[in-house]
Amino acid sequence: MTQYDDVAAAARMVALAMTRGKSPGRSGDYARLVRRFDTEPEFAQLVRKVAQGFDLTVQEVHPQAGLVLATTNETDFAVSVTDLVPNAENRPLYLLAHLAIASRAFPRPENLDDDEHVGRVSVQKVDGDVRAYATVLERRAAAADVDTDPPAGSPGLEGLWRAYLRRNPTGRTDKDRTPRSATYALVKKAFNHLEQRGFVRATSEEEGGTYATNVLYRLHIRDQAAREMLQELAALGVAALPQHDAPLPSKDPKQPDAMDHGMLPDSAPAT
């Protein structure tokens, strides 16, 4: 095998990593490339250099997930969960939904290091989590007598909790469809983003749609995506979502709040 063949193989491995639905378990070619990466340091370095050429970095190589890539500020390729969230007016709400999905899929920190763990998450439960969180924020603001109206001329800075609670969970249009403004539709779209990239798969239509996570999603949440979401939401004044089974806090603002505990504490501390 020539040096040029090695370059082609390294480029092939990066291409497979960016192709939806590809995994070593489904492709013998991909599995062979993973073994080469693990056993040939020079080939592994070549793969890293090819990824660097696309403004990507190699996060890790996993026997089930294959080559796991992370984005840089310069890349135009969407390989991370946060890269799938639309840069639109509703982006903060989509981030809340994605954070709730991750929190429910991995309720304990040790789940993030367990190759056998499969999170099963539904639209209904995620919507309930975000809605409960929004209610807590509303109570907290009321108890602290905080003015939560957006600044004059900046309606986009309305409290995220208020924006979410103003929307109905479901509903029907004249064509018997769920309105796009409904929170179920927003959460469903977040799941669609993940499914299109191969992070989750639909398992049933129960509870508005139920999905199972995979190793690739777990690795992205553990090593990159959760931290990015938390940082972006922190800039908007939201530190984290609670664990889905955490009790609601006291209305007394002086008491410790369950909401102050960051989601996925071992992998993505709130900033």
Side-chain angles (χ1 to χ4, degrees), residues 140-149 161-162:
R140 179 189 291 171
D145 194 24
V146 175
D147 180 10
T148 58
D149 289 332
W161 64 93
R162 183 169 289 177

Side-chain angles (χ1 to χ4, degrees):
M1 182 175 293
T2 69
Q3 180 181 4
Y4 298 111
D5 291 329
D6 286 340
V7 172
R12 172 66 175 161
M13 190 172 188
V14 172
L16 287 168
M18 293 192 291
T19 303
R20 184 177 64 188
K22 295 293 185 181
S23 68
R26 295 181 177 181
S27 168
D29 183 31
Y30 202 173
R32 286 190 292 273
L33 291 170
V34 167
R35 287 193 293 271
R36 284 196 67 188
F37 188 99
D38 286 337
T39 59
E40 301 178 27
E42 290 185 1
F43 179 71
Q45 182 63 13
L46 193 57
V47 171
R48 292 189 179 92
K49 288 297 183 181
V50 170
Q52 184 181 345
F54 288 102
D55 291 318
L56 298 168
T57 60
V58 174
Q59 196 167 313
E60 66 177 277
V61 173
H62 190 278
Q64 295 179 39
L67 181 66
V68 182
L69 298 169
T71 56
T72 66
N73 292 333
E74 292 77 22
T75 187
D76 291 325
F77 296 99
V79 297
S80 176
V81 172
T82 48
D83 296 322
L84 303 176
V85 181
N87 288 310
E89 180 182 356
N90 289 330
R91 180 175 171 85
L93 297 182
Y94 281 117
L95 286 170
L96 282 174
H98 276 289
L99 203 56
I101 291 169
S103 183
R104 183 163 281 276
F106 307 105
R108 294 178 296 276
E110 56 266 28
N111 296 147
L112 290 165
D113 294 313
D114 182 0
D115 277 351
E116 303 302 319
H117 178 80
V118 176
R120 300 190 184 278
V121 193
S122 71
V123 170
Q124 181 186 80
K125 286 187 170 60
V126 169
D127 179 72
D129 288 346
V130 181
R131 196 164 289 277
Y133 176 47
T135 301
V136 169
L137 287 175
E138 184 98 82
R139 290 179 186 173
R140 179 189 291 171
D145 194 24
V146 175
D147 180 10
T148 58
D149 289 332
S154 302
L157 295 181
E158 177 185 31
L160 289 179
W161 64 93
R162 183 169 289 177
Y164 205 90
L165 291 175
R166 280 194 301 105
R167 301 184 180 206
N168 291 323
T170 58
R172 284 289 180 265
T173 65
D174 293 339
K175 296 183 179 179
D176 198 32
R177 296 176 180 173
T178 300
R180 286 187 296 176
S181 60
T183 54
Y184 265 39
L186 187 148
V187 174
K188 182 77 170 180
K189 191 169 184 178
F191 274 114
N192 288 342
H193 296 156
L194 296 175
E195 187 176 27
Q196 290 165 6
R197 187 62 184 84
F199 288 120
V200 304
R201 62 179 177 85
T203 59
S204 77
E205 292 299 320
E206 295 179 3
E207 299 185 345
T210 300
Y211 298 79
T213 65
N214 58 25
V215 172
L216 184 60
Y217 179 68
R218 178 180 65 78
L219 294 174
H220 271 286
I221 292 298
R222 186 190 70 183
D223 298 331
Q224 181 183 16
R227 181 175 292 105
E228 291 178 352
M229 286 186 282
L230 286 169
Q231 289 173 341
E232 191 165 338
L233 288 170
L236 297 170
V238 179
L241 282 171
Q243 296 295 337
H244 62 79
D245 55 355
L248 294 182
S250 165
K251 292 184 180 181
D252 181 356
K254 296 180 181 179
Q255 295 298 317
D257 196 329
M259 304 292 296
D260 291 333
H261 296 287
M263 172 220 151
L264 309 178
D266 285 0
S267 64
T271 56

